Amino acid sequence: MTARIQPCLWYDDNAEEAAAFYAATFPDSRVGAVQRAPGDYPSGKQGDVLTVEMTILGMPFLLLNGGPQFTFDEAISFQVATEDQAETDRYWDAIVGGGGQESMCGWCRDRFGLSWQITPKRLVEYMAQGGETAQRAFKAMMGMRRIDIAALDRAVAGKD
């Protein structure tokens, strides 16, 4: 471990598959060292993939094949700031497609159970303005699954 602090994400037995998916989905992402178990353990055998070190969007992560005892929930999610609708759509489609799930307000869950918030920077900017701008953007967002930037713009302009 070279990072001073990094999230460790617990998977049942598909950490290597998840790492490949994240590396293919997000820029500045790559799979690093794959460590195999030196002996049998409660959820696996000697030689099974135990951990995968990787970088997602420039941030270090450790993915652990810990077994089925623990699963992800919405208490932990990763927020990805997007520049435009094309980037928002690309991430949303990658995460939801192939077994993921849509949720509300830009939240979605990948096929491994990890929650993501795909958040256009425009939404954050509108919310930071406060007042009526924030109220209109917030109201529009509350009715969305995937964030629609054009709909946010219309709502803020009072054309909803």
Side-chain angles (χ1 to χ4, degrees), residues 89-101:
D89 292 346
R90 186 173 63 251
Y91 293 151
W92 185 272
D93 291 342
I95 290 167
V96 171
Q101 285 184 286

Side-chain angles (χ1 to χ4, degrees), residues 35-113:
Q35 303 298 328
R36 298 195 174 273
D40 292 352
Y41 60 108
S43 295
K45 301 283 184 203
Q46 179 178 349
D48 288 352
V49 172
L50 184 60
T51 62
V52 179
E53 295 176 22
M54 77 169 306
T55 301
I56 304 172
L57 289 167
M59 184 174 169
F61 284 84
L62 181 69
L63 282 60
L64 167 72
N65 277 331
Q69 300 88 336
F70 301 107
T71 58
F72 297 117
D73 66 31
E74 288 79 8
I76 296 292
S77 64
F78 292 101
Q79 185 177 45
V80 179
T82 58
E83 296 293 334
D84 55 29
Q85 193 66 51
E87 187 177 31
T88 300
D89 292 346
R90 186 173 63 251
Y91 293 151
W92 185 272
D93 291 342
I95 290 167
V96 171
Q101 285 184 286
E102 293 186 355
S103 190
M104 295 301 295
C105 306
W107 288 63
C108 55
R109 184 181 298 186
D110 66 31
R111 68 182 177 259
F112 309 102

